[in-house]
Amino acid sequence: MKDINGKIRLSAPECNSALSAVGDALYVIGGKWKLRIIIALSEGNKRFNDLQRRVEGISARVLSNELKDLEMNGFVKRMVDSKAKPVVVQYELTDYSNTLEEVLRALHNWGRQHRENIMQRSRKMKLVEA
Amino acid sequence: MKDINGKIRLSAPECNSALSAVGDALYVIGGKWKLRIIIALSEGNKRFNDLQRRVEGISARVLSNELKDLEMNGFVKRMVDSKAKPVVVQYELTDYSNTLEEVLRALHNWGRQHRENIMQRSRKMKLVEA
DNA sequence: CGGTATCCGTTTGGATACTG
DNA sequence: CAGTATCCAAACGGATACCG
């Protein structure tokens, strides 16, 4: 997996495997919103408008489409309580969403670290300027 | 991190942190091609056209833009050997790309597992039909 | 080879209004 | 509230031609 310099080094078959698997993954959870919606729902079940508020910047139309996609792919369940008046709709993560734990953890860690790196770089830039 | 049913359960601050960190991550490595290009380059340094062949479906224009982006963000280095005639250009991963190892591993594993799940589901569907 | 420029159809997505 | 329909502008991206 790693070469003599500590760099990731893939053999041709490993590379093929990675390209196709990561391609499959991006196909279902790629895009700007899917993972964010899943993260927002891991805070707890949410109604449509709550969810829209939690996922900053998403429009109702896009949220609606993304939810349909996520439901189709088994990540999200749409729960309707028709006894309530007016009817209450809640979105809930399925068990299948749990399989994303590692992916989410990795992205979370990387994103946090990356932000720190960027901030350090920009602090250094300012020191050089001054 | 997990609730009583084994589901991922984020507190409000954890959710905020995840949303912003994952948002940062997707901002730089999101999109259809960035990770694939990085994976292709972990097989070894490549010239432009080789890279285009390795990353199936990408057009020269898009590859060109993506490479500029990846270079700007410190994932890729463009190496020019001007002694050669005609000049040879190679793309190489930087050390910073190594920080993506966990992310790539997680996506690779998840993607492979997901494909298997899908295939099983469709096999079952066929049994039910028959 | 390693790209870039241009043209142009397709897709995306915001804003707004509207429905049950 | 929980969306959907419509309109429209901007972004995306393929095809092609072209350059050093």
Side-chain angles (χ1 to χ4, degrees), chain A residues 18-91:
Chain A
L19 282 172
S20 99
V22 172
D24 290 349
L26 293 182
Y27 185 73
V28 278
I29 56 170
K32 194 173 176 181
W33 302 112
K34 299 224 161 60
L35 290 179
R36 288 186 230 226
I37 293 168
I38 289 172
I39 291 167
L41 288 175
S42 22
E43 195 190 8
N45 302 347
K46 286 191 170 48
R47 301 171 65 166
F48 188 88
N49 287 309
D50 293 340
L51 192 49
Q52 191 186 351
R53 264 169 240 124
R54 197 66 170 105
V55 180
E56 262 171 77
I58 198 169
S59 70
R61 196 172 72 134
V62 171
L63 178 56
S64 173
N65 291 334
E66 294 290 65
L67 283 171
K68 275 176 199 156
D69 244 54
L70 288 170
E71 211 187 337
M72 267 191 10
N73 285 302
F75 296 109
V76 162
K77 182 124 190 270
R78 183 172 181 272
M79 318 252 299
V80 185
D81 179 356
S82 37
K83 276 165 284 177
K85 295 269 181 145
V87 167
V88 170
V89 181
Q90 295 238 116
Y91 290 91

Side-chain angles (χ1 to χ4, degrees), chain B residues 101-113:
Chain B
E101 194 184 348
E102 298 273 315
V103 169
L104 289 173
R105 197 210 331 272
L107 280 170
H108 187 158
N109 288 339
W110 191 86
R112 190 196 313 120
Q113 192 60 51

Side-chain angles (χ1 to χ4, degrees), chain A residues 106-118:
Chain A
L107 280 170
H108 187 158
N109 289 339
W110 189 87
R112 189 197 312 122
Q113 192 61 51
H114 178 66
R115 177 196 287 261
E116 280 176 33
N117 292 334
I118 297 294

